[in-house]
Structures are given as structure tokens and as C-alpha cells.
Amino acid sequence: MKTKDTPEEARFDEYNNAAGGWGSVKALGSILQQEHVIASGTRVLMKQNKPEGFACVSCSWAKPADPHLFEFCENGAKATAWEITGKRATPELFARHTVTEMERWNDLELESTGRVTEPMKYDPASDRYLPVSWDEAFDDIAARLRAMDPKKVVFYASGRASLETSYMYQLMARMYGTNNLPDSSNMCHESTSVALPQTIGVPVGTVRLEDFKHTGCILFFGHNTGTNAPRMLHPLEEARKRGVPVITFNPLRERGLQRFVNPQSPTEMITPAHTEISSQYVQIRIGGDAAAAVGMAKRILERDDLAQAEGRPRLLDQAFIDAHTSGMEAFAEVVRKTSWSEIERHAGVARTELEQAADTYAAADSAMLMYGMGVTQHREAVRTIHMLTNLLLLRGNIGKPGAGICPIRGHSNVQGQRTVGITENPEMVPNDKLRALYHFEPPMEKGLNTVEACEKIRDGELSAFFMLGGNFVRAIPDQGVMEPAWRKLPLTVQVVTHLNRSCVIHGKTAYLLPCLGRIEVDQQGGGEQSVSVEDSTGCMHGSRGRVKPASPHLLSEPAIVAALAKRLLPAHTQVDWDGWVADYGRIRDAIEATYPDIFHDFNARMWTPGGFARPLAARERQWKTPNGKANFMVPDGFEPDPDMPADAPGVLRLMTTRGDSQFNTTVYSLDDRFRGVWGTRRILLMNRQDLRQQGLVPGDFVAAETVSSDGVERRVDHLRVEAFDIPAGCVMGYYPELNRLIPLFHHARGSKVPAAKSIPIRLIPEPAQPVLA
Ligand SMILES: Nc1nc2c(c(=O)[nH]1)N[C@H]1C(S)=C(S)[C@@H](COP(=O)(O)OP(=O)(O)OC[C@H]3O[C@@H](n4cnc5c(=O)[nH]c(N)nc54)[C@H](O)[C@@H]3O)O[C@H]1N2
Ligand SMILES: Nc1nc2c(c(=O)[nH]1)N[C@H]1C(S)=C(S)[C@@H](COP(=O)(O)OP(=O)(O)OC[C@H]3O[C@@H](n4cnc5c(=O)[nH]c(N)nc54)[C@H](O)[C@@H]3O)O[C@H]1N2
Ligand SMILES: [Mo]
């Protein structure tokens, strides 16, 4: 496999096949081979997302009660192969390479070393990680943490760890004395967690899998489903086959949202048949979603006025609006006053396209709205989610079958981690319950979220950073500023499966604590243990590991948290950490005692086929907002980046997204099959007209430089430009390679999610290299 990224040798083609189909079967075979796990991998995959099996470690999409024989997708299978890989990052590997040497490896090269097998501690004298015993590691980490001010210690979680681990982790942090519990959600769907409680009174989506069977229309904003939640193509395909329109809003014509060949359907596999996933594709400009939603609302209001005047049935669900909502008149007034030319300018599409979308939407008795990072990772993401919700409220599309809002979450348990208390916000924590159950005073001061933690690290104000999974240093913005600051942290501790950039850019004292993955058998004193996760639709699932652990030295995540907690918190003996680890059922009892509404009869219900659903007030049309109503929100403008407008001459708007062969910072290969990019990630995909205006031709090399006012140079050199079907002024490139272009202050108003989808950049052509004979 090619691991060195040499864009000169890359290939580009128009990938003409549909998502799924034989292409995905072939890609699956090659990853099993690459990770040396063909036979075992195939057996293991049959247990993926099955009742009594394990919950996929890739995306968080719902797991149906009646799973397909292959209830996994190509990318879920890749994530499985990556976890059960035959490759090992052993102490011998660490002995062969200094950390400075490993710093020069790219993300793919680092993680391709395989599973970390033993706990390791950084040794400054030899510039190497050396093996350390678990006891020594825990004793030293606990002693160091005890000597620190808890307010200067951060406990990050990346979204994969189970409900059981996450509950223990937040409890340990709070007993220690801090709410510094940021998680990957701070870079992901935090905009949702801020916007939805204001509008409909719940922090999560309201759609369940069964709604796909009843819906009359699906609106799809800013998500690359074929790559990032491929199993969702199944319910989408079923809805399309019933004739349900799917209207997609995306600057890129993503392959999976156009055509899908079901790899599980024999007839589709042998004939060129496929399902057209999108009935209308609105190729919106980056950041144009709020304007598009307002345009659709404008059309609906105009047609509703006419219908009223002519005595025909209304388009608005006035009964719902009257009984359940507040703020409709103020919203309607702004919409009426907003001109079509302003809407067209911001959305970047013609009025007729938005009118067509609005008419289709208004013709359906029920509609669902799904969205991903194309919506949440913008300066004005919260405003956009407000506008999308308004669109649903106009027609009563919350709290009835086949309707609702569906933020498509990222990591396989990121929503669940929030549910059991991983949050920096003490207002979201059942502090009374914690007090009563564990007899301690939980900290009430707001903790640090991701951006705030970065600011403190940059300013040299933190003492330690503990990472429960993830690759924080690589996932955050502004590496040019953050990496040097990171190295000054007195202590970094990482619970990991694979070597990544955060292991080689480390604090002064640094530990790697290798853990079991979810797919591995977890044997404890009380026998084989299982864990649980929450999916994107608020359903909880049990998950049991199936594979022999990658190394006999690994500890489970609950065991790691317990071992540290016992040493860190000697005074709090009320928690039977050892008993919890011996039998995870007892951790679930504790979760149930803390959150009885959601988790009653947790142990009995965790294997319910399709999961058990958490109660969602908005689904019942109960609004847990301050005024007890669902709230229409009034837009305060449409400019996606008020303080960094990308309309100046020569300035382009860059989105940083995932390719088809990665899970976040874990890069499986250098190809992005659906976009026809082979063998490089050092690339910018551009509109032809922009290329011409910049005096560039496809295949040229440029440096990208961020346009910002703070005087800091942010630049990535040697990127190849290629022509692509993307709106003028917009550019696509890959995360995490381009993260150093995002200024830390460039984040969503209200939620502080880094605005990874809209970075104003300028291109600087590289002088052509003389060809040597
Ligand atoms: N295989 C795989 N699965 C994954 C992941 C992975 O890396 N690999 N990551 C997981 C995680 S943590 C997450 S959060 C999700 C991420 O899944 P996505 O939400 O799909 O995230 P991205 O890959 O960043 O793609 C963003 C999409 O939004 C579009 N977009 C960009 N800007 C705009 C805009 O302004 N408006 C609109 N309407 N669209 C826009 C892009 O063209 C792209 O289609 O996937 C999860 N699942
Ligand atoms: N520019 C840009 N930046 C982004 C984004 C973007 O779209 N564009 N997306 C943002 C989003 S949505 C997210 S969620 C973040 C992701 O940020 P993170 O969640 O911090 O990063 P990941 O890449 O998912 O973490 C990968 C690492 O997790 C570890 N790991 C894997 N499995 C396990 C396990 O079972 N247990 C433990 N303990 N560790 C494990 C492995 O060592 C692996 O190297 O990135 C954000 N950053
Ligand atoms: Mo995410």
C-alpha cells in the first residue's frame, strides 16, 4: 500500500459508478487483505450491528431491529478491519524510532503501525517511548494530578468510548474537582446542542428509524452519506422506492447522494440498476443554507397568502403554529422583507430551484430534515439550524410520524457520552443525584470546551491534558500555534488503540495507555463483559466484543478509568470502582440511578432489538423551552462569516472534509474513490472559472494561505489544484491535512464549533519546478 503522499504521482478521474455495489465489495476485500485479517475479518463482520453482536465503531447511524445479513457498510468494515488489524506497534517499534523521527510520519504512516500493545512512557533522554508497568503508570499519573489544580486539568473524550466508561470518566473528573470535560462534539454537533434546546427544547434529533417508513419528503443538508453514514442509504433507498422525494443541498454533487447500488441486493449487483437517491440536487454555495431555508419559507408564505385569498387549503399548519409555537409573526415579517436577490446571492442558487424545493416540501404531509457537518461547522451554524427548524415548524413537521429533525451524529457514541454527563456545562448535569449517590460536592463552575481548552494551552495556563481516545492535537484548528504550545504541557496522557499525531506531539511527561477496542472480548472478574452506546436517533444498544484482544497487556477503558480513579480519589470510597469493573452491569445500575427516566431497567433492556429509545419530549409535542413553546427564531442576517467575508477579490471559501478512506484523523488510504481522487490528500478541488481567474491550470501547485486580520501566518504549501464540479468561489480540501489553516478564533457563534467548512483563503502559485534531465 502507498503511504507516502506524493501529489505529483496522483491520478484523477471521473468516478462514474454509483455508491455501494461492486466497487464497495472490492474495496472491502482490499482492506481486509491490507490489515492481514481476511478470514477472521469476514467472520467478525457478520456480528456487526446485530442484536447480541457488537455496535460498529465507525458511524453512529441507527441499528435496525431486523438487520440485513450484512448490516454493515464498506466503511464500517474498514473501521472493523483497522481495529482487528494483525499489525502491532510493539515496544520494539518504539525502540527502533525516536519520537522526533516519528513526527515526520504522516497520519497514515503513524496509524499503519497497528495496535499499541503495552503502556509506554516518554523518555526525554533517549527521545523514545519506553515500556512502563501499568501500576507505575497509574501511580505516577495520579501523583502528578493530585499535585495539580483540578481547574488546570482537562479530561477530553472523543466520542467512541461506551456509556459505561463515559459515566465513570465524568464521575472521576467531577470528584477530582473539575468540569473540564470537552469532547469531540465541541468540534462537531455542539451547534445542534445549542440551537435545538432554544427552538424545540431537546438537545438531540427527533427522528427515529420508523419515521422513514411514514415520511412524505426528506430534506438533506450538508452530509456526505455515502461515505460517512452509508447504512443510512438503505432507509433512504426504501423511501425513494416508495416515491418519496429527497431534496439534497450540498455544494458538491456527492456520489452517494446521487446513485446507490445496494450491495445486498443480488439483482442490483448483477444489473446496472441503481436507485437515484436525490430527486432534486440543489448545489448550494458554501454557507448558503440559512438563505436557502429562508427562500423556501418565503415561497411557502407567498403561496399561503394566495391560498388564503382564494379560499384554498392553507400551506401553513396554522393549528400547530397557534397551539404550539411562538415567534412566527416576527419570523414571517423578516422573511417577507428579505428580497429574492439577497437570498439568491447568499444561497448561490436560482430562485426557481428554491421554489421547486419549497413546492415539493409543501406538497408532503410529513417531512424530515437531516443534516451534518456542512451545517454545523460554520460561524453562523446556530443561526442556520434555527432557520432549518423554522422551515419544519411552518408545516408542523415536529412530533408526528414521518416528520422531524435529524442531526446525523459523528462518532459511534458521541451522543451517548453527552447523555451520561460528559459536558463542560454543569447545568446539564444532575448534580443533586450525584451528591445523593456519591456524597460529594460536584464542581459548579463551568468547565472548558474544546476551543477554550486550546486557548488555555496556547497561553500556557494548563497543567495536564487527559485524552480518552481521539487525536486532539490533529483534530483541532491552528496547529502552527497549537503544536508548540502543546509541547509545553507538563503532562499528557492518552488512552489509545493506535499511534497518532497526538502521541508524537506530546507534553513534557507523556503516557500512552493502550486499551481494548469495542470489538474485542472483554474478560473481567465477573466474566465476559458487554457495553452500550446511543445511536443518532436516541436508541441505546448493547455491544459485545467478539475478537481475541490485540495484546495480553491491554486493559479495558472502564478498567483504566477505575485504576486511575482509585489512586486519584482516595477519600471517595463510596464508589466501588473494582466492583464496577468486575461487573459492568453495576455501572449500568449506577447510570440508571442517576438518569432513571432514560435508563430505567437498563440491564434488562440493553439487548432490545433496534435498541431502546430515550424519551424525547419534542416527539410528543412537549416543549422543554423556557416559554413552553416551540420557538421560531428570527435571523439576524445571512452572511455566513460576518467578520471574515470571503467575497473580496481573490479570496476563496475553503471547506475541509473527509474522503472516502478515512475515519476522521485515521487515514486508511490516500484514495477518495467517490470523488475520483487517487493517491493523494494534498489537493484543492476548484471551480474551473476560479482556476482560470487565478491563472492556474489543473495539475498546478499552490500554497494556501488563510485571510485573517490577526497577523498570524497560516499556510500549507505544495497543494495540487484540480478542476471539480463545485460552485464558483468555493474550494474543497481534506481534513485534517488543512487544519492549520483554521484560526482558533474562527468558530461558531454560540457553540464554538471550529468553522472548518468556511475558511477564507488565498492561493499563491508555486513556481514551476525545473525538470531535471
Ligand atoms: N467513514 C467515515 N464515517 C464517518 C466519519 C469518517 O471520517 N469516516 N466521521 C464521523 C464523524 S465524527 C462525523 S461528525 C460524521 C461527518 O460526516 P459529514 O457530516 O458528512 O462530514 P464531512 O465529511 O465533513 O462532509 C460534509 C458534507 O457537507 C458538505 N458541505 C460543506 N459545506 C457545506 C455548506 O455550507 N452547506 C451544505 N449544505 N453542505 C456543505 C460537503 O460537501 C460534504 O458533503 O461522519 C462520521 N462517520
Ligand atoms: N478541519 C476539520 N477539522 C475537524 C473536522 C472537520 O470536518 N474538518 N471534524 C471535527 C469532528 S466532527 C470531530 S468528531 C473531530 C474528531 O476528533 P477526535 O475524535 O479527537 O479524533 P479521531 O480521529 O476520531 O481519533 C482517532 C484516534 O482514536 C483512537 N481510538 C480509536 N479507537 C479507540 C478506542 O476504542 N478507544 C480509545 N481510547 N481510543 C481509540 C486511535 O488511537 C485513533 O488514532 O475532528 C474535528 N476536526
Ligand atoms: Mo464528528
Side-chain angles (χ1 to χ4, degrees), residues 115 497 514-518 520-523 549 554-557:
R115 293 286 298 276
T497 54
C515 65
L516 288 177
R518 197 189 295 152
E520 290 168 321
V521 174
D522 185 350
Q523 191 69 46
L554 303 183
L555 291 186
S556 76
E557 289 176 322

Side-chain angles (χ1 to χ4, degrees), residues 58-59 75 188 221-224 227-228 249-252 254 284-287 289 372-374 378 410-411 655-658 662-664 757:
S58 189
C59 83
N75 284 345
C188 189
F221 286 82
H223 186 264
N224 183 12
T227 288
N228 294 327
F249 299 79
N250 199 309
L252 302 181
E254 301 285 22
I284 198 171
R285 183 178 160 211
I286 292 177
D289 305 82
M373 296 300 103
H378 282 287
H411 270 291
M655 62 155 100
T656 52
T657 62
R658 294 151 178 82
Q662 74 184 92
F663 189 91
N664 297 341
K757 296 295 185 271

Side-chain angles (χ1 to χ4, degrees), residues 57 83 111 156-161 184-185 187-189 373 377 410-411 467-472 474-476 494-500 515-518 557 656-658 663-666 734-736 738-739 742 756-757 759:
V57 294
E83 182 167 312
E111 283 216 25
Y156 171 71
S158 126
R160 190 176 288 200
S184 65
S185 188
M187 303 179 248
C188 189
H189 264 294
M373 296 300 103
Q377 296 176 332
H411 270 291
M467 255 178 271
L468 180 62
N471 185 6
F472 192 80
R474 193 63 171 147
I476 56 175
Q494 246 185 302
V495 181
V496 285
T497 54
H498 293 74
L499 190 55
N500 61 35
C515 65
L516 288 177
R518 197 189 295 152
E557 289 176 322
T656 52
T657 62
R658 294 151 178 82
F663 189 91
N664 297 341
T665 68
T666 299
Y734 290 110
Y735 146 64
L738 300 177
N739 276 36
I742 313 174
K757 296 295 185 271
I759 313 163

Side-chain angles (χ1 to χ4, degrees), residues 285-286 639-641 646-647 652-655 729-731 758-759:
R285 183 178 160 211
I286 292 177
E639 179 55 61
D641 291 301
D647 294 334
L652 299 162
R653 211 184 276 270
L654 168 71
M655 62 155 100
C730 302
V731 179
S758 177
I759 313 163

